[in-house]
Amino acid sequence: MAAIELLAPAGNLEKAKTAIRYGADAVYIGGQQFSLRSRASNFNLDQIAELCQFAHEHGSAVHVTVNIIPHPDDFNGLEEYLDALDEAGIDAIISASPAIISRALKMEDRHFEVHVSTQRSILNEKAVQFWKNLGVDRVVLGRETPMEAIEEICSKKIVPIEAFIHGGMCISFSGRCVLSNHMTNRDANRGGCAQSCRWKYTLYDGDEAISDPDTMFSMSSRDLQAADQIEKMIHAGVASLKIEGRMKSDYYLAVVVGAYRRLIDEIEKNGTVSDEFVAKIVRELNRAENRPTGPGFYHGLPDENVQLYRKHDETVTQEYIGLVLEPDKPGYLKVQVKNHFATNTPAELFGPGIAPYPYTITEILDQEGNVLEVCNHPMDIVYLKWEGPSIAGSMIRKQRI
């Protein structure tokens, strides 16, 4: 069984390092030019070079999104930027623009691969073959591709295939919505999507409002969660499993990347995975979510149960309570406080290579050795009595009782 790439998003340098430490084989990031997600803390060239060095030292790769849909003035400096990315040591660019892709493919002594973005809505083998004929190295399938089509495309072995397994879904064909442009003059294909589909609307029949004010209409999709499809994808020959979410937190990345890492490793070790193991992974993935999730198109054409047309909440939890720092006190964890907790709090620790490990916080000390009953100041440094497994970069969260 060929090893499969787990590809994680990162909105800044520290998040990228977190994703790699928790098991990502590659990360994708945005530069400060020619990239969508304009609100992300996109990387400058020095940061890209630093990340490439870190990633390569850890056996991981760096993909850079050059996925803006350009207007005429947006091409200024493109060649210089591609040269600079190559010099920084990146492993691939991801692009949706035929013009950008063409220019990248024509570069002399290019060291990075060229991947076609999901924004091209590639859903069938003929479209994959078209891009292969142009010389691209990988195709990222549209998030609307059903599992049967993925299996058929991969069976042709035309070019390595990348498919989404987790994260936000577009209510339109990926990358082709202009609702944000129309309503806010923010271009979704140039990094400014206002996510107008997630707004709450009043429905009218003529001049009469017919929607309940308490259940106003929206048209967004549930976020994708495809843990039960990973075994199929691996056996089909998908080259890369992609997680969406360059705007997400370190905690989100640690939970999601770590969970899929354990799932992929289990399948690659045994050739299959039990329903019980998948259910455990799903429970873990749910610890990072603040929106309802669904299977996207992988169980067939989504019905109303996979959409969010009615009342729904986007919750923010305070379960993540501490980041483990380099230890310097035997028998204790050195922890940076993230959210409120107290002694006798049922907690669990998880980290790179460490599955969630339950314990109860029995003793808290401040940096002077004074006993604390409560921690309620984020960024404080404290010590927790501890005898279990841990490494720097592990995270502590409250147990769900």
Side-chain angles (χ1 to χ4, degrees):
M1 184 182 299
I4 194 166
E5 177 185 86
L6 178 60
L7 177 59
N12 61 38
L13 187 57
E14 194 52 47
K15 290 177 184 179
K17 291 180 178 180
T18 295
I20 290 169
R21 291 189 183 105
Y22 275 79
D25 301 299
V27 293
Y28 66 98
I29 64 172
Q32 293 183 338
Q33 295 173 265
F34 306 102
S35 175
L36 299 184
R37 296 296 182 266
S38 61
R39 290 180 294 120
S41 300
N42 287 343
F43 291 64
N44 61 39
L45 289 169
D46 288 340
Q47 291 170 327
I48 292 173
E50 180 180 344
L51 175 58
C52 288
Q53 180 176 348
F54 179 89
H56 296 161
E57 288 172 351
H58 288 76
S60 297
V62 176
H63 304 178
V64 176
T65 57
V66 190
N67 55 349
I68 188 174
I69 302 298
H71 291 208
D73 292 341
D74 292 329
F75 289 103
N76 296 332
L78 175 61
E79 286 84 357
E80 294 81 0
Y81 183 63
L82 293 175
D83 286 337
L85 291 178
D86 200 33
E87 184 176 349
I90 71 164
D91 299 279
I93 65 165
I94 307 168
S95 184
S97 164
I100 293 175
I101 290 171
S102 177
R103 294 190 189 188
L105 291 172
K106 292 176 181 177
M107 290 174 60
E108 295 184 3
D109 299 322
R110 170 175 53 87
H111 299 96
F112 60 78
E113 293 187 350
V114 178
H115 299 174
V116 185
S117 170
T118 188
Q119 292 169 270
R120 291 257 51 100
S121 300
I122 299 170
L123 309 175
N124 58 73
E125 65 176 272
K126 293 188 183 299
V128 174
Q129 186 65 59
F130 171 84
W131 288 102
K132 169 63 175 177
N133 293 344
L134 293 181
V136 303
D137 300 287
R138 180 186 292 185
V139 164
V140 187
L141 295 180
R143 281 173 280 188
E144 302 78 29
T145 314
M147 181 55 63
E148 294 80 4
I150 292 176
E151 292 172 328
E152 177 67 18
I153 291 167
C154 289
S155 72
K156 304 300 182 182
K157 302 185 185 301
I158 301 167
V159 69
I161 295 298
E162 182 175 303
F164 280 89
I165 59 169
H166 200 91
M169 295 284 285
C170 187
I171 196 65
S172 177
F173 278 92
S174 297
R176 297 176 182 270
C177 179
V178 294
L179 192 62
S180 176
N181 305 55
H182 177 72
M183 300 184 72
T184 69
N185 200 32
R186 287 170 53 179
D187 192 339
N189 292 313
R190 300 172 79 198
C193 182
Q195 296 187 326
S196 305
C197 60
R198 297 188 182 185
W199 298 357
K200 304 294 176 55
Y201 295 90
T202 300
L203 293 183
Y204 287 86
D205 183 359
D207 294 330
E208 180 184 359
I210 60 173
S211 56
D212 185 335
D214 293 328
T215 56
M216 297 178 72
F217 179 80
S218 73
M219 60 191 99
S220 65
S221 168
R222 288 174 177 256
D223 287 355
L224 175 63
Q225 187 270 94
D228 65 346
Q229 301 296 307
I230 302 304
E231 183 175 340
K232 284 185 180 180
M233 289 188 175
I234 290 176
H235 288 296
V238 175
S240 179
L241 303 178
K242 187 170 193 171
I243 299 166
E244 184 275 339
R246 278 193 280 153
M247 302 292 290
K248 297 292 189 177
S249 68
D250 292 73
Y251 174 72
Y252 177 94
L253 288 172
V255 173
V256 173
V257 172
Y260 279 112
R261 178 77 274 156
R262 293 195 293 277
L263 178 57
I264 292 167
D265 289 349
E266 180 75 8
I267 296 168
E268 291 184 334
K269 176 183 176 182
N270 300 313
T272 188
V273 67
S274 68
D275 291 341
E276 291 77 11
F277 193 93
V278 173
K280 182 168 67 173
I281 294 298
V282 170
R283 289 194 294 271
E284 178 66 8
L285 291 169
N286 288 340
R287 298 296 298 271
E289 295 298 342
N290 68 346
R291 281 169 51 83
T293 62
F297 286 72
Y298 293 146
H299 290 178
L301 190 66
D303 60 17
E304 68 276 9
N305 296 313
V306 187
Q307 310 301 327
L308 297 175
Y309 293 129
R310 302 177 183 86
K311 186 176 181 179
H312 60 90
D313 294 320
E314 296 184 5
T315 59
V316 177
T317 73
Q318 295 183 331
E319 292 182 342
Y320 174 32
I321 58 176
L323 173 67
V324 178
L325 306 176
E326 290 287 349
D328 62 6
K329 188 177 180 67
Y332 290 82
L333 293 174
K334 185 178 183 180
V335 174
Q336 182 183 73
V337 176
K338 295 296 182 179
N339 280 296
H340 173 277
F341 66 95
T343 53
N344 300 316
T345 297
E348 57 188 14
L349 178 147
F350 67 99
I354 302 173
Y357 186 95
Y359 77 107
T360 298
I361 298 171
T362 59
E363 183 180 345
I364 309 171
L365 303 178
D366 66 16
Q367 294 189 80
E368 286 72 42
N370 301 308
V371 175
L372 301 176
E373 294 297 325
V374 176
C375 292
N376 53 14
H377 296 104
M379 306 306 290
D380 276 1
I381 305 299
V382 298
Y383 293 89
L384 308 183
K385 192 172 182 62
W386 177 250
E387 297 178 354
S390 176
I391 61 174
S394 299
M395 297 184 181
I396 303 170
R397 66 190 178 199
K398 296 175 183 176
Q399 290 185 36
R400 286 189 177 178
I401 308 299

